[in-house]
Amino acid sequence: MPGKGKGSKAGVGAPAFSDQAAAIAYAKAIAAQLEAQGVAVTIEVQPGVLPGAGDGHAGDGGPAGGHAGSDSAIQADAGTAAATAGTRTKAAAEPEPGATKDKTGGAAAEGDGDPETDGPAAQTLTPLGPDLLARADAAGAAGVGVLLGGGDLEDMAATIQSYRDPTTGEIRRVLWCKVRAESDEKVLAAVERAMGHPTMTVWDEVEEVGRADWDLENQVAERLVTLAKSVNHHSGLGDGVPPHTMLGIAELRATLDGLAAKAGAMPPEERALLDGYRKDLDEIAQAAGDGSHPVKTPRKDYGPREALLKRLVPREVPLPQEGEGGPAMTAKWRHETLPRTSVDGGASAWDGRRKRAHGAGEEAVINFNDGWIAIYHPSDPSKGVPFSRRGTLELHLPPGADPADIPAHLARLNLHGHAASRAEAECAYVARAAWAMRADQRPEWRQAVEAARAIVEERAAAILWEAPAPESDAAAERLAAEALVRAERETAPERARVLRRGLEAALGLPEGGLEKLPNWRPEPVFDPAPGGGGHWRWLRPDVDPAELREKAKAAGLVIGHELTGATDRVERLKAILESGVLAAQERRAVMGADAGHTMSPEEDLRTGGAAFTFLRALRATDEADIEWDPETILMRSDWEFRNMDTFGAVNPQSSHMPSESARVRDPMEVVRLAKAGKLKGNNELLVKDGIGLFGPFAPRRIRAGSEAGRDELLAWCKERGITHIGSRPVEEVIIE
């Protein structure tokens, strides 16, 4: 956004600012001074940039990441993995797409020839191109991961999830991400602003599967269930049907007769529902008889009848206001809900209905009034959202949406959301390495983080200095936000250097020492799933995989996972292999898989453990349902080991939260505990989000439980064309 101006700038500094309000005030002050001096300034402002202050780093102090484990398939570099996944469509030497209009959400440098902003360092890792939604549709339950730059989202990670409506075949697409707690206030400010916008009610005719309005109004299904239960109960006791039940039958008949008298005005689908209910009541009445000698009703499944119905649904739309560039946002608070998702044939399914979530949490529903809708589960403790769901953001894309418009909609929530550049990815990588190596609390690292933040603020201040006076408060806010996000992107290479030097100082390494660590790879690794889906995982640079493999083998250490729940083991393994990922409870809820297959699902939501896959550090003589070579998992940078049962607690307010000294992140410390025979049977190895089963984190062994189970599972794999799990033949991995 190069400025073109005339006049002196003497006497007017360009200080750094720490928040958006300060930026707006600064912009107004500059405008006033320019006006007082009679200075005319013109500037070209690129569209599509994002509001919200950058914080100079990508980390959130919690686990996140990935590693390429052992064997030849794991040695493929991140570029190869990305190309295989179909996320990279241009050669590395090409400039970042959108030099004049950056549809990925930020303003690319224009005409200055700066290799740091125009060259490979600025190229996006996961472009929000037109093929992204097609990939998500084909990806199955795993979804497609994308990396969105800036410091607002945990790990810069988001997932595009496609859901097929099992009734209509319609595709519903949702972008899922986690907003860092530090950015919660920015979203809440956008919600508050949207709630203050005046609205009017319009009525839309929609088709949806559900109950008829007259059914809900008269509680027909509920009354039928109550009557059937009473008749069956007293039939079993051998006594008569009580008078109130007989009265209930008569009253419901009168209700249905009254509705039948008006049935001529009903659509055919609703008349069929009414006829079905009248038949249900006839069966119950016949079983009750005169009440003296009731018999069992012919069936037990009396309840709601549903059909594909047309109905009028109210919708609040904003009243037009002068000066708006497009439809205004509206928002409201309601009790927290979750989509009623499921998995059908390895793909996620959802008919659009939602269910009330457990607990007393609230969610914000934000309508962009252009077909896009966001649902936000805030981190603010006063909203009562369970710890593990705090910060969850659902961005619902309308049919025909362009994924390149994702950043613009996140921008209206005051969030960065442009496709991440390689330099931004390196910032996140270094921050994750600092957490994994326990350097994130050291003063040298903290100073580097503050220095990186100052770089962003100083660049944003310079951008504001060149900008014209805003015409309104709203324009001033947009200008400040635009400056911040542009500064975030333009300074990423410089911030990456500052963070590298800070981590080196914290670790006592010389300058350039990070790059000499045995596993330094400043890009994430793609963790694939069937159908082209998968997610990005961050590496840890400090441990040699070969050395870790050798020492873990000598110590007799393996990593294992025990299946839980009452479902047949082979059926559980089929479901996991079909999705391609052993997923944490949070991820399973997004996929549509049964989120209750844990030892303590409700407690895990409160402790934060629902964000993790639970593994155990075991002796080689132990047997787990799924087993990994230790280096495959321990070279990721998103795990933490506790030699006790803590319910995966990461919530500081949880009574299960262990002390800092009990939280192990050093792979060699886990090896030492195994070698010394000090591993406890209830230990936990927490791995964030999930573990792909067909890529760099593939397991070494899967136990079917019996010879018959192995035969069944191998036959199932053959039907689906699954020949290898990771780099190993499936016959080698799946054992009895």
Side-chain angles (χ1 to χ4, degrees):
M1 193 169 75
K4 302 174 183 178
K6 299 179 180 180
S8 173
K9 299 178 183 177
V12 183
F17 48 86
S18 59
D19 58 36
Q20 188 163 295
I24 295 172
Y26 176 71
K28 291 181 177 179
I30 293 296
Q33 292 185 43
L34 291 173
E35 184 177 357
Q37 296 173 27
V39 177
V41 179
T42 60
I43 192 168
E44 297 174 4
V45 180
Q46 292 181 328
V49 293
L50 310 179
D55 65 0
H57 71 289
D60 64 349
H67 161 66
S70 63
D71 296 328
S72 59
I74 298 171
Q75 301 306 318
D77 64 21
T80 301
T84 300
T87 58
R88 185 175 303 159
T89 57
K90 294 185 180 294
E94 288 188 290
E96 181 172 351
T100 56
K101 182 179 180 182
D102 185 2
K103 286 281 283 182
T104 64
E110 199 175 84
D112 57 7
D114 185 354
E116 296 287 18
T117 53
D118 285 350
Q123 187 187 27
T124 56
L125 285 171
T126 55
L128 303 179
D131 66 329
L132 182 59
L133 298 185
R135 287 184 55 221
D137 294 348
V144 172
V146 294
L147 297 176
L148 302 180
D152 289 323
L153 306 185
E154 286 188 9
D155 312 325
M156 301 199 312
T159 298
I160 301 283
Q161 197 79 22
S162 290
Y163 302 93
R164 185 174 297 277
D165 190 313
T167 302
T168 66
E170 176 186 359
I171 297 293
R172 293 180 169 85
R173 302 181 180 101
V174 182
L175 179 126
W176 292 84
C177 57
K178 271 286 194 75
V179 176
R180 297 175 61 221
E182 294 85 345
S183 300
D184 184 64
E185 289 186 1
K186 298 202 295 186
V187 183
L188 296 183
V191 172
E192 183 177 357
R193 184 174 66 248
M195 290 182 69
H197 197 103
T199 64
M200 61 181 293
T201 301
V202 297
W203 294 83
D204 298 324
E205 185 181 77
V206 300
E207 271 194 343
E208 61 182 17
V209 176
R211 296 167 63 181
D213 291 338
W214 49 261
D215 177 11
L216 294 169
E217 181 182 348
N218 292 282
Q219 294 288 282
V220 173
E222 290 77 7
R223 291 160 71 181
L224 282 168
V225 170
T226 300
L227 295 173
K229 285 182 177 179
S230 178
V231 170
N232 288 327
H233 175 69
H234 290 283
S235 173
L237 293 178
D239 59 2
V241 177
H244 68 267
T245 299
M246 299 301 293
L247 178 61
I249 292 174
E251 290 177 341
L252 182 54
R253 187 174 298 282
T255 298
L256 296 180
D257 287 345
L259 291 169
K262 305 174 184 177
M266 288 183 184
E269 297 82 5
E270 293 194 29
R271 289 199 298 271
L273 292 178
L274 179 58
D275 290 342
Y277 278 139
R278 299 186 76 185
K279 179 177 178 294
D280 293 344
L281 183 60
D282 287 342
E283 291 180 0
I284 296 170
Q286 186 174 355
D290 62 4
S292 59
H293 296 89
V295 298
K296 295 287 187 181
T297 58
R299 48 195 180 89
K300 297 180 180 180
D301 58 343
Y302 299 101
R305 289 178 174 269
E306 297 182 338
L308 184 63
L309 304 174
K310 292 182 179 180
R311 65 177 78 225
L312 292 176
V313 176
R315 176 167 59 93
E316 296 294 315
V317 299
L319 289 170
Q321 289 194 344
E322 189 174 349
E324 291 179 346
M329 289 193 310
T330 53
K332 64 179 180 180
W333 289 100
R334 71 182 184 194
H335 191 286
E336 198 181 12
T337 64
L338 298 171
R340 290 183 176 272
T341 57
S342 61
V343 172
D344 182 12
S348 297
W350 181 38
D351 62 4
R353 292 184 295 177
R354 301 179 71 89
K355 60 185 177 182
R356 186 182 178 98
H358 292 295
E362 293 182 77
E363 66 187 15
V365 182
I366 304 107
N367 193 337
F368 296 95
N369 292 295
D370 59 359
W372 294 63
I373 291 179
I375 298 177
Y376 183 58
H377 309 255
S379 292
D380 183 345
S382 69
K383 297 301 183 182
V385 176
F387 185 85
S388 193
R389 274 205 303 270
R390 291 180 185 177
T392 299
L393 176 65
E394 313 168 31
L395 183 62
H396 295 250
L397 284 65
D402 185 347
D405 291 329
I406 289 172
H409 287 86
L410 292 178
R412 299 186 70 186
L413 301 179
N414 296 330
L415 296 174
H416 291 67
H418 54 273
S421 69
R422 296 183 184 282
E424 288 176 301
E426 183 172 356
C427 291
Y429 171 74
V430 175
R432 284 304 165 203
W435 180 87
M437 292 187 281
R438 291 194 176 279
D440 56 327
Q441 300 302 317
R442 296 176 187 170
E444 298 89 349
W445 172 256
R446 290 294 185 185
Q447 290 167 11
V449 169
E450 290 303 318
R453 179 180 291 114
I455 290 170
V456 175
E457 293 174 344
E458 289 168 7
R459 176 61 185 137
I463 293 170
L464 283 174
W465 163 257
E466 298 176 341
E471 298 178 356
S472 64
D473 288 345
E477 185 176 349
R478 286 194 300 271
L479 179 63
E482 179 179 308
L484 286 165
V485 76
R486 180 182 165 197
E488 178 87 20
R489 300 197 72 185
E490 291 180 358
T491 62
E494 184 179 0
R495 287 186 293 113
R497 287 193 294 269
V498 168
L499 293 174
R500 283 200 305 269
R501 300 292 85 86
L503 182 54
E504 288 167 346
L507 296 173
L509 298 173
E511 184 171 332
L514 278 180
E515 290 90 333
K516 296 177 181 178
L517 291 178
N519 202 43
W520 171 262
R521 300 178 55 173
E523 283 191 5
V525 169
F526 189 68
D527 187 10
H535 300 87
W536 296 87
R537 315 294 186 192
W538 300 96
L539 314 174
R540 65 179 300 148
D542 57 326
V543 180
D544 183 346
E547 179 186 3
L548 176 56
R549 180 185 183 91
E550 179 182 348
K551 292 187 175 181
K553 185 176 181 179
L557 174 66
V558 298
I559 304 299
H561 173 76
E562 296 292 336
L563 298 175
T564 58
T567 309
D568 175 80
R569 178 203 295 249
V570 173
E571 292 304 317
R572 287 290 313 283
L573 290 173
K574 288 178 183 177
I576 293 170
L577 288 169
E578 191 166 43
S579 69
V581 59
L582 180 66
Q585 180 178 336
E586 283 185 11
R587 174 65 60 189
R588 290 202 300 276
V590 169
M591 293 164 55
D594 183 359
H597 275 306
T598 65
M599 297 294 289
S600 49
E602 294 304 317
E603 185 66 20
D604 290 346
L605 287 173
R606 292 188 288 271
T607 65
F612 303 93
T613 301
F614 285 65
L615 308 181
R616 292 200 194 281
L618 304 170
R619 298 169 299 177
T621 54
D622 295 328
E623 291 186 355
D625 295 320
I626 307 176
E627 292 179 7
W628 289 263
D629 294 318
E631 71 278 6
T632 302
I633 299 297
L634 298 184
M635 287 301 297
R636 289 175 59 152
S637 65
D638 61 351
W639 62 269
E640 188 169 85
F641 177 75
R642 291 96 178 270
N643 205 14
M644 65 187 83
D645 184 0
T646 68
F647 291 85
V650 291
N651 180 358
Q653 305 304 315
S654 171
S655 61
H656 300 289
M657 182 71 170
S659 64
E660 187 67 21
S661 61
R663 302 165 64 188
V664 176
R665 299 176 197 159
D666 181 357
M668 294 306 180
E669 177 61 22
V670 182
V671 172
R672 284 190 288 269
L673 288 169
K675 187 174 183 180
K678 294 183 178 180
L679 290 176
K680 296 180 180 178
N682 63 345
N683 71 67
E684 296 174 342
L685 181 65
L686 309 176
V687 182
K688 195 171 184 183
D689 187 62
I691 305 168
L693 301 181
F694 294 103
F697 312 112
R700 178 184 67 183
R701 183 173 292 132
I702 296 175
R703 283 188 169 84
S706 66
E707 182 179 356
R710 179 177 186 267
D711 291 342
E712 180 182 348
L713 196 52
L714 287 175
W716 179 88
C717 288
K718 185 176 181 180
E719 289 176 2
R720 283 155 179 77
I722 299 174
T723 61
H724 286 71
I725 293 178
S727 61
R728 297 181 174 96
V730 66
E731 294 83 2
E732 179 183 326
V733 177
I734 298 176
I735 64 174
E736 294 181 11

